[in-house]
Amino acid sequence: MTLKNLFICCLALLLAACGGVGSVRPGSADDTPVSDKGNDIVIYSLGLIDTNYRFGGKNPEAGLDCSGMVSYVYRQAAGLKVSGSAADIARQGRAISKAELRPGDLVFFNTMHRAFSHVGIYIGDGRFINAPSTNGRVRIDRLDNRYYATRFEAVRRYFD
């Protein structure tokens, strides 16, 4: 087992222990319930960290772009079908406020001077996993990062 896989397994166990449907995140300011499906999505997406970026990529072996990563993770981890571009995926979800964000929700950004041109998976504590073309790998970024904060557009939920 590689060090990366060991880290991911430990993180998965930690997240799984943090709650199920109807439970509350310890120390959360708003006591938002944690969803099992949302946790599954987060855990699965963490396993894709450092996967190569590829425009139009839909699986980790070939590389992933942002919408391909979301489609792949939602299908594999939660059995949910979301597909198309980031804008297409945004149209499929239920709009919620940023204050209602829970792990597994999708966050959308305007990164190409058009609405909903980038998407990531919210993992909690102001962080999200995404497949940006910059630096060419799936990674974790922060919503309060200046680049993303000025381009933030919306949150969508697809379960619960």
Side-chain angles (χ1 to χ4, degrees), residues 6-76:
L6 180 61
F7 171 75
I8 290 167
C9 288
C10 290
L11 187 57
L13 290 171
L14 178 64
L15 286 172
C18 287
V21 174
S23 65
V24 176
R25 285 178 290 180
S28 66
D30 59 4
D31 295 332
T32 303
V34 175
S35 160
D36 284 341
K37 204 170 269 196
N39 276 345
D40 291 345
I41 288 167
V42 169
I43 291 166
Y44 200 92
S45 65
L46 288 170
L48 297 175
I49 298 291
D50 283 332
T51 298
N52 287 328
Y53 174 87
R54 179 173 163 232
F55 180 77
K58 303 206 180 308
N59 66 66
E61 295 76 29
L64 296 165
D65 68 6
C66 66
S67 59
M69 180 195 75
V70 165
S71 296
Y72 181 80
V73 169
Y74 267 57
R75 183 177 59 253
Q76 297 297 318

Side-chain angles (χ1 to χ4, degrees), residues 73-156:
V73 169
Y74 267 57
R75 183 177 59 253
Q76 297 297 318
L80 297 172
K81 184 179 180 190
V82 295
S83 60
S85 67
D88 294 333
I89 292 170
R91 285 189 284 276
Q92 297 169 33
R94 182 174 76 248
I96 61 168
S97 73
K98 194 174 184 180
E100 296 175 276
L101 260 172
R102 294 191 323 204
D105 289 338
L106 298 184
V107 288
F108 292 87
F109 306 89
N110 180 338
T111 60
M112 301 175 74
H113 305 293
R114 66 177 189 267
F116 306 112
S117 51
H118 187 64
V119 60
I121 300 171
Y122 185 71
I123 63 172
D125 296 321
R127 298 169 301 150
F128 66 100
I129 293 179
N130 68 128
S133 58
T134 306
N135 297 328
R137 297 206 177 268
V138 173
R139 68 178 189 229
I140 297 173
D141 281 305
R142 297 193 52 82
L143 291 172
D144 62 2
N145 168 295
R146 186 187 327 184
Y147 178 82
Y148 288 108
T150 60
R151 290 164 174 83
F152 179 83
E153 286 193 298
V155 179
R156 299 287 189 263

